[in-house]
Amino acid sequence: MKMYRFIAVLLVSVLLLCACAGCSDKETSGEFRVGVVAVTSGELFRKGNYIITAARYAANKVNNDGGLELSGQHYKVSLFPADSNGDAETAAKVARRLIEKDNVSAIVGAAGSLVALAVAKVCEEHKVPFITPVAGTNKLTSFKYSFRVSYTNTVQGEALAFFVLKDLKGKDVGVLFAASSPYSAELARLFKKDYIKGGGRVSAFESYAAGQRDFSIQLKKIIKSGARILFLPNNTKMVQLQVAQARKLGFDGILLGGDLWDPIELQRNSLFKNSYYTDHWIPGLPIEGAAEFEKDYKKANGVEPSELEALTYDAVMSLFAAVKIAGTANPVAIHDALVDMPPFHGVTGTFDYNNNGDPDKDVIISTFRDGYIAVQEIIDLK
């Protein structure tokens, strides 16, 4: 009987030791939590899927290599995706939930400027780093804890003005922009300022209201002004409607766009022949590590990476680089590491987050040739 009791006590002790060892292992190989805000419903779901797929690819890559090593411990990266629904109010709610309930150490994503600004405000309140792959509005700069991989609207507007003056011979430009969009209105204004400063002429400067679908009044004014270039700093869905209506009304000039254009959707649309737009990256650029990324990404996901996927990958991997430098999952320490770390060598190029959280990068001007995306020019404004 005593022997049975001894064995029972020994068994319980072993089980308790195993349980404690399991707890210790869990603490040692901890969890680094990252929130991913991306629209996965509605008409802009494609962009959200790009972001989530790229973030997951980056996390898997790090986890397959043993995770993030912080102070001698290995942390597994865990992603917490959240649908912004493309709406600023929803984005703010999900960002707050990610920080307060899911305890994320950082947030990536939020491609649109309105959504990005909403997330940035919440992250600023909680002192949590936020990196957007592509939200160009200059207003993001006012938030200390926000960073971006893409260039700003200031850089983009200057590059577009330079390109039109130099390569398109300074033709008259008509502009149609969304008055309610921080991105669209800001980029339109900055382009106009730089183009006029360089000696160009903006013959028409027209805005449209949120929800508008008939642009004939504005487009007729632009055509009547003699504009030979139509600048549309608007999202892909709006641009497709606007170009179809402009061509129908007789506009046969050059189309000009910003980095909000989705080239994958537009490249085989014959209406967009003779068009140019700002770009961040396309497959085949001679950037160190880009070819390997393209090959491995396609193997993992079955398709070539898009521009947004490459930018998101760089956003997430630059975050991981900062985490390794910080040596902790503490959000404030990670923020400081993002500001102070050396230039990051990404697949979209080498960049350095400056004191405003904005990278110093070249601007690519792309076009469509025979149904394919091609680089027209790379502009270095530094």
Side-chain angles (χ1 to χ4, degrees):
M1 189 74 173
K2 288 182 179 179
M3 180 61 70
Y4 287 135
R5 186 176 296 172
F6 172 76
I7 292 172
V9 171
L10 183 62
L11 183 59
V12 170
S13 299
V14 170
L15 288 172
L16 286 172
L17 283 171
C18 289
C20 289
C23 292
S24 178
D25 285 344
K26 188 174 182 181
E27 290 172 5
T28 303
S29 56
E31 186 181 36
F32 182 76
R33 298 182 164 213
V34 181
V36 183
V37 177
V39 52
T40 55
S41 56
E43 63 180 17
L44 298 176
F45 77 95
R46 186 198 295 270
K47 286 185 178 292
N49 287 338
Y50 289 159
I51 291 173
I52 290 174
T53 301
R56 187 176 293 121
Y57 170 79
N60 288 342
K61 187 177 180 67
V62 169
N63 287 336
N64 290 339
D65 287 338
L68 292 170
E69 187 174 346
L70 309 178
S71 303
Q73 298 181 1
H74 288 272
Y75 282 62
K76 176 187 175 184
V77 177
S78 294
L79 300 182
F80 291 78
D83 183 8
S84 69
N85 200 31
D87 173 72
E89 186 176 347
T90 303
K93 287 179 181 178
V94 298
R96 190 166 282 108
R97 187 196 73 215
L98 287 168
I99 296 169
E100 296 176 356
K101 300 261 180 88
D102 297 319
N103 298 313
V104 300
S105 295
I107 294 178
V108 297
S113 288
L114 275 173
V115 171
L117 288 170
V119 174
K121 184 177 180 181
V122 173
C123 286
E124 191 76 10
E125 292 169 1
H126 291 79
K127 292 183 167 53
V128 170
F130 164 53
I131 306 178
T132 174
V134 54
T137 177
N138 289 349
K139 293 180 181 178
L140 197 70
T141 297
S142 64
F143 296 99
K144 176 183 175 183
Y145 277 78
S146 293
F147 302 83
R148 72 181 117 215
V149 179
S150 60
Y151 38 68
T152 66
N153 276 348
T154 295
V155 173
Q156 186 175 188
E158 186 180 352
L160 282 166
F162 177 84
F163 172 72
V164 176
L165 288 165
K166 176 177 172 287
D167 289 47
L168 303 184
K169 310 305 179 187
K171 294 180 173 66
D172 285 359
V173 179
V175 183
L176 177 60
F177 64 94
S180 61
S181 165
Y183 167 92
S184 182
E186 184 179 77
L187 182 53
R189 176 179 56 80
L190 290 168
F191 167 81
K192 179 183 178 181
K193 176 179 70 74
D194 288 327
Y195 194 57
I196 293 173
K197 183 179 178 181
R201 178 172 178 261
V202 175
S203 59
F205 196 70
E206 298 292 324
S207 66
Y208 63 91
Q212 189 172 334
R213 292 294 183 271
D214 182 357
F215 309 96
S216 57
I217 293 176
Q218 292 95 326
L219 289 169
K220 285 177 181 177
K221 289 181 181 179
I222 290 172
I223 294 170
K224 187 177 180 180
S225 75
R228 297 305 302 148
I229 297 173
L230 175 58
F231 180 36
L232 301 169
N234 311 314
N235 71 51
T236 301
K237 296 296 181 183
M238 288 295 101
V239 165
Q240 287 173 314
L241 287 173
Q242 291 159 358
V243 170
Q245 292 177 29
R247 296 300 194 203
K248 190 174 181 180
L249 289 169
F251 181 78
D252 59 356
I254 298 169
L255 301 172
L256 190 68
D259 63 346
L260 203 56
W261 284 21
D262 184 347
I264 293 176
E265 276 197 46
L266 302 177
Q267 62 184 327
R268 300 194 184 280
N269 187 333
S270 61
L271 294 177
F272 285 82
K273 184 179 179 181
N274 198 21
S275 63
Y276 303 92
Y277 59 96
T278 47
D279 214 345
H280 299 272
W281 180 87
I282 67 170
L285 289 177
I287 298 172
E288 184 180 352
E292 293 81 357
F293 163 73
E294 292 167 34
K295 182 179 179 181
D296 191 60
Y297 195 92
K298 185 174 183 179
K299 181 180 178 181
N301 298 290
V303 293
E304 288 187 346
S306 67
E307 172 199 47
L308 184 51
E309 286 163 302
L311 289 167
T312 301
Y313 176 74
D314 274 359
V316 177
M317 294 303 283
S318 65
L319 168 65
F320 293 159
V323 172
K324 290 178 183 178
I325 292 170
T328 174
N330 178 272
V332 175
I334 295 169
H335 161 270
D336 294 344
L338 281 165
V339 173
D340 296 334
M341 72 181 190
F344 178 77
H345 300 282
V347 299
T348 63
T350 298
F351 58 91
D352 185 11
Y353 292 121
N354 61 34
N355 290 331
N356 291 327
D358 301 324
D360 295 318
K361 299 178 78 173
D362 296 341
V363 179
I364 298 172
I365 304 293
S366 291
T367 187
F368 302 117
R369 292 192 190 126
D370 302 320
Y372 294 95
I373 303 164
V375 173
Q376 180 70 22
E377 188 170 340
I378 297 178
I379 298 175
D380 181 3
L381 296 172
K382 295 191 287 290

